[in-house]
Every structure is written in structure tokens, then in C-alpha cells.
Amino acid sequence: MFKDAPNTMVITTKRVINGEASILIVFHDEEDGMWQFLDGDDTNEDDAAIVSLAEIERIDSTINVISELPLGWVAWREHENAKWESQVQE
């Protein structure tokens, strides 16, 4: 489980919300602590959406594996059932 409150706002894509794409890359921004749960495709402002952390966990509970991703780190996986890998953002 994430340490952040369930109502914490996170960034994702409309494709993830609509079930058209899986969460494949996660950023935990160092500057503001914001979480980004993206699908790995190019994302622009029109694709982006803001939802609560509780909602993103409901969409894909497998993200709980990376709930302790440190600030300034990124995690990724090749497909929905793949193991998460992570490293500090460059």
C-alpha cells in the first residue's frame, strides 16, 4: 500500500482509465512528489488525466508492488504481467 493518502491526485492517461492500455511506466517526481502512472506510449496534454491514487489502485492493483518507489525514481515493465524494474531518474 502507498504511504500517500488515497485521495492524493496522480497523473495517468485516458487510455489507462478506459482500460485501453496498461500501466507500464511510473514516475515518482522528486520536485513535488507527484506520481505519474503512464502506459509507455507518447503522451500529450490531451491524453493526460488526473485521478486519485485510490482510483489508480482500483484500475491496476499490481502497482502496489512499487508503492515504496523513492522520490526521483522511475519503474517500468515490459507488459502488464512482467516484473517491475526501477532506477533513479536520469
Side-chain angles (χ1 to χ4, degrees):
M1 295 294 292
F2 287 80
K3 293 178 185 176
D4 299 273
N7 64 348
T8 299
M9 294 292 101
V10 302
I11 297 171
T12 191
T13 67
K14 293 174 184 172
R15 295 180 298 270
V16 167
I17 292 171
N18 295 332
E20 299 166 4
S22 300
I23 298 169
L24 300 180
I25 188 163
V26 176
F27 295 94
H28 195 188
D29 296 338
E30 187 167 15
E31 307 86 45
D32 58 9
M34 186 77 161
W35 288 94
Q36 297 181 49
F37 297 91
L38 308 175
D39 56 30
D41 286 341
D42 289 337
T43 302
N44 61 44
E45 247 180 67
D46 292 336
D47 299 324
I50 296 178
V51 298
S52 70
L53 183 56
E55 179 67 10
I56 207 75
E57 286 179 293
R58 186 194 65 72
I59 291 169
D60 184 352
S61 63
T62 67
I63 62 166
N64 284 311
V65 171
I66 57 166
S67 64
E68 295 191 23
L69 189 70
L71 290 171
W73 282 59
V74 59
W76 69 93
R77 59 187 175 177
E78 294 297 318
H79 55 81
E80 185 175 2
N81 298 315
K83 180 182 174 197
W84 285 100
E85 299 186 47
S86 62
Q87 71 178 35
V88 67
Q89 291 181 41
E90 296 180 1

